[in-house]
Every structure is written in structure tokens, then in C-alpha cells.
Amino acid sequence: MERTFETLKNEIKSCQKCDLCLTRKNTVFGDGIAKTKLLFVGEAPGQMEDEMGLPFVGRSGKLLDKMLAAVDISRTKNMFITNIVKCRPPNNADPTDTQRQACAEYLKQQIDLISPKVIVCVGRIAATSLINPDFRVTKDHGKIYKKGEIDFMGTFHPSALLRFPQNKEEAFKDFLTLKSFLAQLS
Ligand code: URA
């Protein structure tokens, strides 16, 4: 069967590749425009996301949406957003290497279907998984990393911005950089 967003979403719904399937309420596939230049990847669903089956719908997600809206980027218009792992780790623990690896093929298939030009890694877990294991958000955020056909950028996780609001300005600069980078892509 040809793999589409729907078939992949259904496959993920019944996934039992790692222990997170035992505690999840819902899998969180992602949200936004299916064919877009711009893909955001976060870490893992939290409590609200697990309950609603949608990514970044809690407090930190609302902050991210608000900052992106200011540069005219939104999931209803021009981006897709998902996570490294599709199920909530209990107590919002960092997803383990085993959990990340179990889910990696799903993200790869999402990337193949979406075919984004730019992937923004939201926070340390996404950036160390997708850009470079040594990625340091405070030092490396906002830089463009070319990997094959796709350009990557890492930025602050919005939950870190809620804890350290002094970094919001730097994070917003990343989104301005992103916006002008996107504008010069064909
Ligand atoms: N944090 C994430 O990394 N992803 C979500 O979906 C929600 C919070």
C-alpha cells in the first residue's frame, strides 16, 4: 500500500515499538500543512498533547505559536510540527536513546512525505538528535546547518523560554533569521 499521511498516522496509532505505548493516552502524529517548506520538530508530547493527540497545545506550545505568528508562520498556513517521539514519556522525562531510535523511522517517513526545505529543531533533544549530538542551544541556536537537501536550524524550546524569559529576544531573532532564510529559497 502506498504510504500517505493517513496510513502513516494509523500505523503510528497502533505502534508498540517501545515502552511508551504502555502509558500513552494518544499518539501525537503532528499538526499543520502536509506539503510545506517548513517543518518544526520538538521533543515529545507532554500531558496536554497526550490528552489531545496534538503537538504543542499546552502553555509552551501557545508561546511558540504566538512568537511564530509574529513572523507570519503558523500551522494553518505554512508549517508542519511534530516531535522526535510520538508518545508522552511518563513524568515528561527526556526520551531515552532507545525510545528515540524506535520512533526515528516515523520521523524519517514524515520528512519524506512533507519534503521540507528547512527543519527547525525546537530544543536540545531535537537538535542533538537531528543536527549534531554536541549541539548546545545557547551557543548554536539560530545557525543554519546544511545536511544534504535540507537546511536545519536549532532554537530554544518554548518551555525553556517560560523558565528563562530573558532568552525570548534571542529566540525571536532566530525566527526573524528563519523568515528571511525562507524568503530567499526558491
Ligand atoms: N514539548 C514538546 O517538545 N513537544 C510537544 O508537543 C509539547 C511540548
Side-chain angles (χ1 to χ4, degrees):
M1 192 190 353
E2 190 203 352
R3 189 168 267 120
T4 62
F5 248 42
E6 268 328 290
T7 57
L8 182 58
K9 194 172 182 176
N10 285 330
E11 207 179 303
I12 291 173
K13 246 185 208 161
S14 55
C15 179
Q16 299 192 346
K17 286 196 209 171
C18 83
D19 55 349
L20 295 182
C21 70
L22 302 172
T23 47
R24 72 176 177 228
K25 287 195 179 128
N26 286 295
T27 54
V28 178
F29 177 75
D31 189 23
I33 306 294
K35 275 272 170 212
T36 173
K37 283 184 195 168
L38 184 55
L39 173 64
F40 280 73
V41 181
E43 175 179 329
Q47 186 184 355
M48 287 273 279
E49 290 76 19
D50 181 45
E51 273 161 25
M52 295 178 67
L54 285 168
F56 285 98
V57 286
R59 245 182 103 217
S60 69
K62 292 207 166 69
L63 173 61
L64 182 65
D65 282 351
K66 195 170 137 199
M67 293 179 77
L68 290 175
V71 288
D72 205 24
I73 294 173
S74 79
R75 31 182 129 182
T76 53
K77 209 161 152 188
N78 49 12
M79 65 178 266
F80 192 84
I81 187 161
T82 186
N83 285 300
I84 293 287
V85 299
K86 313 301 187 206
C87 299
R88 181 190 184 207
N91 306 315
N92 301 337
D94 285 354
T96 63
D97 284 348
T98 313
Q99 291 161 352
R100 296 192 212 186
Q101 277 155 22
C103 233
E105 183 59 25
Y106 293 136
L107 180 62
K108 188 180 170 298
Q109 287 167 18
Q110 285 180 308
I111 295 172
D112 286 348
L113 287 166
I114 296 166
S115 90
K117 295 227 186 309
V118 181
I119 296 181
V120 179
C121 298
V122 183
R124 175 181 57 88
I125 297 285
T128 55
S129 301
L130 301 182
I131 300 177
N132 167 358
D134 298 322
F135 192 95
R136 297 276 307 277
V137 175
T138 44
K139 188 162 65 71
D140 302 323
H141 71 94
K143 299 177 189 163
I144 303 287
Y145 296 84
K146 191 157 193 64
K147 289 190 156 208
E149 296 289 289
I150 304 178
D151 292 295
F152 288 76
M153 176 193 280
T155 189
F156 297 86
H157 194 287
S159 64
L161 296 177
L162 289 171
R163 284 198 304 277
F164 303 104
Q166 66 272 23
N167 287 332
K168 277 189 194 170
E169 204 177 312
E170 285 292 297
F172 191 65
K173 279 191 207 153
D174 294 349
F175 296 143
L176 291 173
T177 305
L178 175 66
K179 187 73 189 168
S180 42
F181 186 75
L182 285 167
Q184 44 127 41
L185 290 177
S186 51

